[in-house]
Amino acid sequence: MIGLVGIILSLVLLIFFAYRGVNVIILAPLMALLATAFAGGLPMLATYTQVFMPALGNYLITYFPLFLLGALFGKMMDDSGAARAIAYFIVEKLGDTKAILAIVLACGILTYGGVSLFVVAFAVFPIAAALFREAGVPKRLIPATIALGSFTFTMTALPGTPQIQNAIPAPFFGTNAFAAPGLGVIAAVIMFGGGTAWLMYRSKKLTAAGETYLPADTPKGPGLLARVSGKGTDRDERGSTATGAAPEGAGTATATATTGQPVATDQSTLPRPSVLIAFLPIFVVIALNYVLVTWVFPAMQTDYLADDAYGNTDIDTVGGIWAIVVALVVATLVVVLTNLKRFGDVKESVNTGTMGSFLPIFNTASEVGYGAVIASLPAFRTVRDSVLGISGNPVISLAVAVNVLAGITGSASGGMSIALQTLGEQFRGLADAQGISLELMHRVTVLAAGGFDALPHNGAVVTVLAICGLTHRQSYKDIFVVAVAIPLAALVVVITLGTLFGGF
């Protein structure tokens, strides 16, 4: 009993301190050792060096290339102007009257193409700010709009998405990023349609109540579309917002050296590639990923993977990750080669993108190490039996386990990784025994990770709110609906369909 108290206490303190800004890299091992101390009689140093660190290291070995290449690709898309070009193109085509839809689609295309959601948020926010102001849409809806496009349907549902959350289950289930494509598309339609409908409803309701982007007496300039075409500038571009946060403008949000708060710098006139050049890397990521997992890798002679020197594995286990790695490498080269003249300093972009991958992967790997320690404790058997006993259907048990752990850690990848590291073998064994599609298990795992992960302490939620200069009180209600409630509804639909018809 005391051991279970230690596990619960360590989880509570992990959430408490992480929410208050304590780095998970140091926090996770401390909380793991706290839980170990409550277990009684277990060697603390051995637990750290022989349980925590190997789990952390194994996660790095498996997923570091994806974090590295994802961050590098996103940085190249940002610095080349390709991300801005895609966003502006969509805005120009849809116009001011469809501000919410334009921003959702801009974020969705970029994240589905492999650009980090953090890069997308920084690149798209200033465009959203100008567009929402021009259309009279309340600013408080920007965070939820970015969230809907960046970390819902393109992160967990659409088949082939190269986001890390869609790659993590592949080694456990022998699947790839295109697992259960039909169910993924259904979930994506629910998330996109439901989320967009909610935001439009909220916009109409707030507008009817008299709320606009800024106070009614604020002068308006020619707006975003005029700036895109070079017809004038917005007189309010450097004015304060209603919340006293960062100024609005068309450009990219950056953090100042003195305050660390994001501000909008005017980049609407910076060079941008043509639309075709901007979209080309996105197409490369998705198309090459599909070609590799569907035709190239299955046709290759890969018997050598069974050798101990190569980890005694097979192509079904590693093929999904290999495909995303190759696709991101090729797409990054395409960005560089087609935009050489638009880079200020390619070396600086490469270095910055590389360094930007370290903190995210070490944060997640530390959470995985924490999960491994918890799983090694005698009291965890109670937790394991409770989770596995939730339902005789392992699909439901898996969904609950991943959702709960994602909510506890505030991380989709972290919660998913802990669940799979501690219970992955049991879930796969149950699925095999009951004839359940492993593609269904993959898709449900990813969708479940995109539910409770977006609770208030989630890093992406906190970052998006900071970029927008808004608070949880102002904007989190709408984030919860589009990034938690509707994705959970989509998950229920997928589980129901998958149970009735299997993976498709």
PDB file of all heavy atoms in Angstrom, residues 100 104 144-145 148 152-153 188-202 478 481-483 486-487:
ATOM      1  N   ILE A 100     -10.962  31.922 -39.613  1.00  0.00           N
ATOM      2  CA  ILE A 100     -10.718  30.733 -38.788  1.00  0.00           C
ATOM      3  C   ILE A 100     -10.327  29.553 -39.663  1.00  0.00           C
ATOM      4  O   ILE A 100      -9.327  28.860 -39.396  1.00  0.00           O
ATOM      5  CB  ILE A 100     -11.965  30.405 -37.948  1.00  0.00           C
ATOM      6  CG1 ILE A 100     -12.163  31.468 -36.866  1.00  0.00           C
ATOM      7  CG2 ILE A 100     -11.841  29.014 -37.319  1.00  0.00           C
ATOM      8  CD1 ILE A 100     -13.462  31.328 -36.091  1.00  0.00           C
ATOM      9  N   VAL A 104      -6.693  27.455 -39.634  1.00  0.00           N
ATOM     10  CA  VAL A 104      -6.698  26.014 -39.351  1.00  0.00           C
ATOM     11  C   VAL A 104      -6.028  25.248 -40.489  1.00  0.00           C
ATOM     12  O   VAL A 104      -5.187  24.364 -40.259  1.00  0.00           O
ATOM     13  CB  VAL A 104      -8.135  25.499 -39.131  1.00  0.00           C
ATOM     14  CG1 VAL A 104      -8.152  23.967 -39.071  1.00  0.00           C
ATOM     15  CG2 VAL A 104      -8.716  26.073 -37.855  1.00  0.00           C
ATOM     16  N   ALA A 144      -6.922  28.574 -29.817  1.00  0.00           N
ATOM     17  CA  ALA A 144      -7.665  27.356 -30.144  1.00  0.00           C
ATOM     18  C   ALA A 144      -7.616  27.059 -31.633  1.00  0.00           C
ATOM     19  O   ALA A 144      -7.575  25.892 -32.043  1.00  0.00           O
ATOM     20  CB  ALA A 144      -9.122  27.499 -29.686  1.00  0.00           C
ATOM     21  N   THR A 145      -7.597  28.105 -32.452  1.00  0.00           N
ATOM     22  CA  THR A 145      -7.514  27.907 -33.899  1.00  0.00           C
ATOM     23  C   THR A 145      -6.172  27.288 -34.283  1.00  0.00           C
ATOM     24  O   THR A 145      -6.108  26.349 -35.081  1.00  0.00           O
ATOM     25  CB  THR A 145      -7.702  29.248 -34.632  1.00  0.00           C
ATOM     26  OG1 THR A 145      -8.944  29.840 -34.219  1.00  0.00           O
ATOM     27  CG2 THR A 145      -7.718  29.057 -36.128  1.00  0.00           C
ATOM     28  N   LEU A 148      -6.141  23.640 -33.016  1.00  0.00           N
ATOM     29  CA  LEU A 148      -6.903  22.737 -33.873  1.00  0.00           C
ATOM     30  C   LEU A 148      -6.107  22.337 -35.104  1.00  0.00           C
ATOM     31  O   LEU A 148      -6.063  21.159 -35.479  1.00  0.00           O
ATOM     32  CB  LEU A 148      -8.219  23.407 -34.300  1.00  0.00           C
ATOM     33  CG  LEU A 148      -9.082  22.637 -35.305  1.00  0.00           C
ATOM     34  CD1 LEU A 148      -9.476  21.275 -34.752  1.00  0.00           C
ATOM     35  CD2 LEU A 148     -10.318  23.448 -35.678  1.00  0.00           C
ATOM     36  N   THR A 152      -4.025  18.421 -33.412  1.00  0.00           N
ATOM     37  CA  THR A 152      -5.165  17.502 -33.314  1.00  0.00           C
ATOM     38  C   THR A 152      -5.132  16.526 -34.492  1.00  0.00           C
ATOM     39  O   THR A 152      -4.414  15.539 -34.468  1.00  0.00           O
ATOM     40  CB  THR A 152      -6.507  18.267 -33.265  1.00  0.00           C
ATOM     41  OG1 THR A 152      -6.656  19.064 -34.450  1.00  0.00           O
ATOM     42  CG2 THR A 152      -6.575  19.167 -32.044  1.00  0.00           C
ATOM     43  N   PHE A 153      -5.876  16.816 -35.547  1.00  0.00           N
ATOM     44  CA  PHE A 153      -6.032  15.840 -36.633  1.00  0.00           C
ATOM     45  C   PHE A 153      -4.755  15.591 -37.426  1.00  0.00           C
ATOM     46  O   PHE A 153      -4.539  14.485 -37.932  1.00  0.00           O
ATOM     47  CB  PHE A 153      -7.175  16.252 -37.573  1.00  0.00           C
ATOM     48  CG  PHE A 153      -6.979  17.563 -38.285  1.00  0.00           C
ATOM     49  CD1 PHE A 153      -6.481  17.616 -39.571  1.00  0.00           C
ATOM     50  CD2 PHE A 153      -7.327  18.759 -37.663  1.00  0.00           C
ATOM     51  CE1 PHE A 153      -6.316  18.816 -40.233  1.00  0.00           C
ATOM     52  CE2 PHE A 153      -7.170  19.974 -38.316  1.00  0.00           C
ATOM     53  CZ  PHE A 153      -6.661  20.008 -39.603  1.00  0.00           C
ATOM     54  N   ALA A 188     -10.013  12.295 -38.349  1.00  0.00           N
ATOM     55  CA  ALA A 188      -9.587  13.621 -38.784  1.00  0.00           C
ATOM     56  C   ALA A 188     -10.778  14.485 -39.184  1.00  0.00           C
ATOM     57  O   ALA A 188     -10.834  15.685 -38.859  1.00  0.00           O
ATOM     58  CB  ALA A 188      -8.607  13.500 -39.950  1.00  0.00           C
ATOM     59  N   VAL A 189     -11.733  13.883 -39.883  1.00  0.00           N
ATOM     60  CA  VAL A 189     -12.929  14.629 -40.305  1.00  0.00           C
ATOM     61  C   VAL A 189     -13.716  15.107 -39.085  1.00  0.00           C
ATOM     62  O   VAL A 189     -14.195  16.249 -39.032  1.00  0.00           O
ATOM     63  CB  VAL A 189     -13.810  13.754 -41.211  1.00  0.00           C
ATOM     64  CG1 VAL A 189     -15.166  14.421 -41.439  1.00  0.00           C
ATOM     65  CG2 VAL A 189     -13.112  13.498 -42.543  1.00  0.00           C
ATOM     66  N   ILE A 190     -13.842  14.243 -38.084  1.00  0.00           N
ATOM     67  CA  ILE A 190     -14.561  14.622 -36.863  1.00  0.00           C
ATOM     68  C   ILE A 190     -13.853  15.771 -36.161  1.00  0.00           C
ATOM     69  O   ILE A 190     -14.484  16.748 -35.734  1.00  0.00           O
ATOM     70  CB  ILE A 190     -14.690  13.419 -35.923  1.00  0.00           C
ATOM     71  CG1 ILE A 190     -15.585  12.345 -36.554  1.00  0.00           C
ATOM     72  CG2 ILE A 190     -15.253  13.847 -34.562  1.00  0.00           C
ATOM     73  CD1 ILE A 190     -15.620  11.042 -35.784  1.00  0.00           C
ATOM     74  N   MET A 191     -12.531  15.661 -36.031  1.00  0.00           N
ATOM     75  CA  MET A 191     -11.779  16.705 -35.344  1.00  0.00           C
ATOM     76  C   MET A 191     -11.814  18.021 -36.110  1.00  0.00           C
ATOM     77  O   MET A 191     -12.088  19.088 -35.535  1.00  0.00           O
ATOM     78  CB  MET A 191     -10.321  16.260 -35.156  1.00  0.00           C
ATOM     79  CG  MET A 191     -10.121  15.111 -34.214  1.00  0.00           C
ATOM     80  SD  MET A 191      -8.358  14.732 -34.048  1.00  0.00           S
ATOM     81  CE  MET A 191      -8.426  13.057 -33.442  1.00  0.00           C
ATOM     82  N   PHE A 192     -11.531  17.956 -37.409  1.00  0.00           N
ATOM     83  CA  PHE A 192     -11.499  19.164 -38.224  1.00  0.00           C
ATOM     84  C   PHE A 192     -12.894  19.799 -38.324  1.00  0.00           C
ATOM     85  O   PHE A 192     -13.062  21.002 -38.080  1.00  0.00           O
ATOM     86  CB  PHE A 192     -10.979  18.835 -39.616  1.00  0.00           C
ATOM     87  CG  PHE A 192     -11.057  19.981 -40.591  1.00  0.00           C
ATOM     88  CD1 PHE A 192     -10.172  21.043 -40.512  1.00  0.00           C
ATOM     89  CD2 PHE A 192     -12.040  19.997 -41.568  1.00  0.00           C
ATOM     90  CE1 PHE A 192     -10.253  22.102 -41.409  1.00  0.00           C
ATOM     91  CE2 PHE A 192     -12.134  21.051 -42.464  1.00  0.00           C
ATOM     92  CZ  PHE A 192     -11.240  22.109 -42.379  1.00  0.00           C
ATOM     93  N   GLY A 193     -13.878  18.983 -38.645  1.00  0.00           N
ATOM     94  CA  GLY A 193     -15.231  19.507 -38.801  1.00  0.00           C
ATOM     95  C   GLY A 193     -15.808  20.007 -37.495  1.00  0.00           C
ATOM     96  O   GLY A 193     -16.360  21.119 -37.424  1.00  0.00           O
ATOM     97  N   GLY A 194     -15.684  19.200 -36.455  1.00  0.00           N
ATOM     98  CA  GLY A 194     -16.220  19.594 -35.157  1.00  0.00           C
ATOM     99  C   GLY A 194     -15.507  20.800 -34.576  1.00  0.00           C
ATOM    100  O   GLY A 194     -16.146  21.717 -34.044  1.00  0.00           O
ATOM    101  N   GLY A 195     -14.192  20.820 -34.683  1.00  0.00           N
ATOM    102  CA  GLY A 195     -13.426  21.934 -34.145  1.00  0.00           C
ATOM    103  C   GLY A 195     -13.706  23.237 -34.870  1.00  0.00           C
ATOM    104  O   GLY A 195     -13.880  24.298 -34.244  1.00  0.00           O
ATOM    105  N   THR A 196     -13.737  23.175 -36.191  1.00  0.00           N
ATOM    106  CA  THR A 196     -14.013  24.383 -36.975  1.00  0.00           C
ATOM    107  C   THR A 196     -15.415  24.902 -36.695  1.00  0.00           C
ATOM    108  O   THR A 196     -15.628  26.117 -36.546  1.00  0.00           O
ATOM    109  CB  THR A 196     -13.849  24.090 -38.472  1.00  0.00           C
ATOM    110  OG1 THR A 196     -12.529  23.596 -38.721  1.00  0.00           O
ATOM    111  CG2 THR A 196     -14.060  25.348 -39.293  1.00  0.00           C
ATOM    112  N   ALA A 197     -16.381  23.989 -36.615  1.00  0.00           N
ATOM    113  CA  ALA A 197     -17.764  24.397 -36.331  1.00  0.00           C
ATOM    114  C   ALA A 197     -17.859  25.066 -34.966  1.00  0.00           C
ATOM    115  O   ALA A 197     -18.556  26.078 -34.804  1.00  0.00           O
ATOM    116  CB  ALA A 197     -18.688  23.183 -36.392  1.00  0.00           C
ATOM    117  N   TRP A 198     -17.154  24.510 -33.980  1.00  0.00           N
ATOM    118  CA  TRP A 198     -17.172  25.110 -32.640  1.00  0.00           C
ATOM    119  C   TRP A 198     -16.588  26.521 -32.656  1.00  0.00           C
ATOM    120  O   TRP A 198     -17.174  27.451 -32.075  1.00  0.00           O
ATOM    121  CB  TRP A 198     -16.413  24.239 -31.644  1.00  0.00           C
ATOM    122  CG  TRP A 198     -16.192  24.928 -30.318  1.00  0.00           C
ATOM    123  CD1 TRP A 198     -15.074  25.581 -29.898  1.00  0.00           C
ATOM    124  CD2 TRP A 198     -17.146  25.063 -29.257  1.00  0.00           C
ATOM    125  NE1 TRP A 198     -15.245  26.102 -28.647  1.00  0.00           N
ATOM    126  CE2 TRP A 198     -16.525  25.803 -28.229  1.00  0.00           C
ATOM    127  CE3 TRP A 198     -18.466  24.622 -29.080  1.00  0.00           C
ATOM    128  CZ2 TRP A 198     -17.173  26.109 -27.033  1.00  0.00           C
ATOM    129  CZ3 TRP A 198     -19.110  24.945 -27.888  1.00  0.00           C
ATOM    130  CH2 TRP A 198     -18.462  25.675 -26.880  1.00  0.00           C
ATOM    131  N   LEU A 199     -15.462  26.692 -33.306  1.00  0.00           N
ATOM    132  CA  LEU A 199     -14.824  28.007 -33.327  1.00  0.00           C
ATOM    133  C   LEU A 199     -15.670  29.034 -34.068  1.00  0.00           C
ATOM    134  O   LEU A 199     -15.739  30.201 -33.666  1.00  0.00           O
ATOM    135  CB  LEU A 199     -13.436  27.889 -33.962  1.00  0.00           C
ATOM    136  CG  LEU A 199     -12.399  27.120 -33.136  1.00  0.00           C
ATOM    137  CD1 LEU A 199     -11.119  26.922 -33.929  1.00  0.00           C
ATOM    138  CD2 LEU A 199     -12.108  27.827 -31.829  1.00  0.00           C
ATOM    139  N   MET A 200     -16.316  28.618 -35.135  1.00  0.00           N
ATOM    140  CA  MET A 200     -17.187  29.547 -35.853  1.00  0.00           C
ATOM    141  C   MET A 200     -18.413  29.908 -35.002  1.00  0.00           C
ATOM    142  O   MET A 200     -18.857  31.063 -34.987  1.00  0.00           O
ATOM    143  CB  MET A 200     -17.617  28.932 -37.185  1.00  0.00           C
ATOM    144  CG  MET A 200     -16.492  28.854 -38.204  1.00  0.00           C
ATOM    145  SD  MET A 200     -17.015  28.145 -39.786  1.00  0.00           S
ATOM    146  CE  MET A 200     -15.516  28.379 -40.764  1.00  0.00           C
ATOM    147  N   TYR A 201     -18.952  28.924 -34.299  1.00  0.00           N
ATOM    148  CA  TYR A 201     -20.065  29.186 -33.382  1.00  0.00           C
ATOM    149  C   TYR A 201     -19.649  30.175 -32.303  1.00  0.00           C
ATOM    150  O   TYR A 201     -20.366  31.141 -31.999  1.00  0.00           O
ATOM    151  CB  TYR A 201     -20.530  27.876 -32.758  1.00  0.00           C
ATOM    152  CG  TYR A 201     -21.309  28.045 -31.472  1.00  0.00           C
ATOM    153  CD1 TYR A 201     -22.635  28.473 -31.495  1.00  0.00           C
ATOM    154  CD2 TYR A 201     -20.700  27.773 -30.244  1.00  0.00           C
ATOM    155  CE1 TYR A 201     -23.345  28.641 -30.307  1.00  0.00           C
ATOM    156  CE2 TYR A 201     -21.404  27.941 -29.059  1.00  0.00           C
ATOM    157  CZ  TYR A 201     -22.719  28.371 -29.087  1.00  0.00           C
ATOM    158  OH  TYR A 201     -23.416  28.538 -27.913  1.00  0.00           O
ATOM    159  N   ARG A 202     -18.470  29.954 -31.736  1.00  0.00           N
ATOM    160  CA  ARG A 202     -17.984  30.840 -30.682  1.00  0.00           C
ATOM    161  C   ARG A 202     -17.739  32.245 -31.223  1.00  0.00           C
ATOM    162  O   ARG A 202     -18.020  33.247 -30.553  1.00  0.00           O
ATOM    163  CB  ARG A 202     -16.699  30.272 -30.089  1.00  0.00           C
ATOM    164  CG  ARG A 202     -16.927  29.104 -29.166  1.00  0.00           C
ATOM    165  CD  ARG A 202     -17.385  29.577 -27.792  1.00  0.00           C
ATOM    166  NE  ARG A 202     -16.279  30.237 -27.097  1.00  0.00           N
ATOM    167  CZ  ARG A 202     -16.452  31.068 -26.081  1.00  0.00           C
ATOM    168  NH1 ARG A 202     -17.676  31.372 -25.680  1.00  0.00           N
ATOM    169  NH2 ARG A 202     -15.406  31.616 -25.493  1.00  0.00           N
ATOM    170  N   ASP A 478     -11.795  27.207 -25.102  1.00  0.00           N
ATOM    171  CA  ASP A 478     -11.915  26.812 -26.502  1.00  0.00           C
ATOM    172  C   ASP A 478     -10.828  25.812 -26.891  1.00  0.00           C
ATOM    173  O   ASP A 478     -11.072  24.929 -27.721  1.00  0.00           O
ATOM    174  CB  ASP A 478     -11.862  28.050 -27.395  1.00  0.00           C
ATOM    175  CG  ASP A 478     -13.026  28.989 -27.106  1.00  0.00           C
ATOM    176  OD1 ASP A 478     -14.175  28.574 -27.284  1.00  0.00           O
ATOM    177  OD2 ASP A 478     -12.771  30.126 -26.670  1.00  0.00           O
ATOM    178  N   VAL A 481     -12.076  22.401 -25.813  1.00  0.00           N
ATOM    179  CA  VAL A 481     -13.108  21.818 -26.684  1.00  0.00           C
ATOM    180  C   VAL A 481     -12.485  21.218 -27.943  1.00  0.00           C
ATOM    181  O   VAL A 481     -12.774  20.069 -28.308  1.00  0.00           O
ATOM    182  CB  VAL A 481     -14.168  22.868 -27.058  1.00  0.00           C
ATOM    183  CG1 VAL A 481     -15.127  22.311 -28.116  1.00  0.00           C
ATOM    184  CG2 VAL A 481     -14.949  23.291 -25.830  1.00  0.00           C
ATOM    185  N   VAL A 482     -11.610  21.989 -28.625  1.00  0.00           N
ATOM    186  CA  VAL A 482     -11.098  21.524 -29.923  1.00  0.00           C
ATOM    187  C   VAL A 482      -9.949  20.531 -29.785  1.00  0.00           C
ATOM    188  O   VAL A 482      -9.731  19.723 -30.689  1.00  0.00           O
ATOM    189  CB  VAL A 482     -10.647  22.715 -30.797  1.00  0.00           C
ATOM    190  CG1 VAL A 482     -11.794  23.689 -31.007  1.00  0.00           C
ATOM    191  CG2 VAL A 482      -9.429  23.442 -30.215  1.00  0.00           C
ATOM    192  N   ALA A 483      -9.211  20.570 -28.663  1.00  0.00           N
ATOM    193  CA  ALA A 483      -8.019  19.720 -28.536  1.00  0.00           C
ATOM    194  C   ALA A 483      -8.171  18.590 -27.529  1.00  0.00           C
ATOM    195  O   ALA A 483      -7.304  17.714 -27.461  1.00  0.00           O
ATOM    196  CB  ALA A 483      -6.800  20.569 -28.154  1.00  0.00           C
ATOM    197  N   ILE A 486     -13.363  17.163 -28.403  1.00  0.00           N
ATOM    198  CA  ILE A 486     -13.685  16.627 -29.737  1.00  0.00           C
ATOM    199  C   ILE A 486     -12.758  15.472 -30.125  1.00  0.00           C
ATOM    200  O   ILE A 486     -13.230  14.454 -30.648  1.00  0.00           O
ATOM    201  CB  ILE A 486     -13.677  17.754 -30.784  1.00  0.00           C
ATOM    202  CG1 ILE A 486     -14.822  18.734 -30.489  1.00  0.00           C
ATOM    203  CG2 ILE A 486     -13.807  17.191 -32.202  1.00  0.00           C
ATOM    204  CD1 ILE A 486     -14.859  19.939 -31.392  1.00  0.00           C
ATOM    205  N   PRO A 487     -11.438  15.554 -29.875  1.00  0.00           N
ATOM    206  CA  PRO A 487     -10.588  14.378 -30.143  1.00  0.00           C
ATOM    207  C   PRO A 487     -11.003  13.145 -29.351  1.00  0.00           C
ATOM    208  O   PRO A 487     -10.899  12.022 -29.858  1.00  0.00           O
ATOM    209  CB  PRO A 487      -9.192  14.859 -29.741  1.00  0.00           C
ATOM    210  CG  PRO A 487      -9.223  16.328 -30.002  1.00  0.00           C
ATOM    211  CD  PRO A 487     -10.610  16.746 -29.584  1.00  0.00           C
TER     212      PRO A 487
END
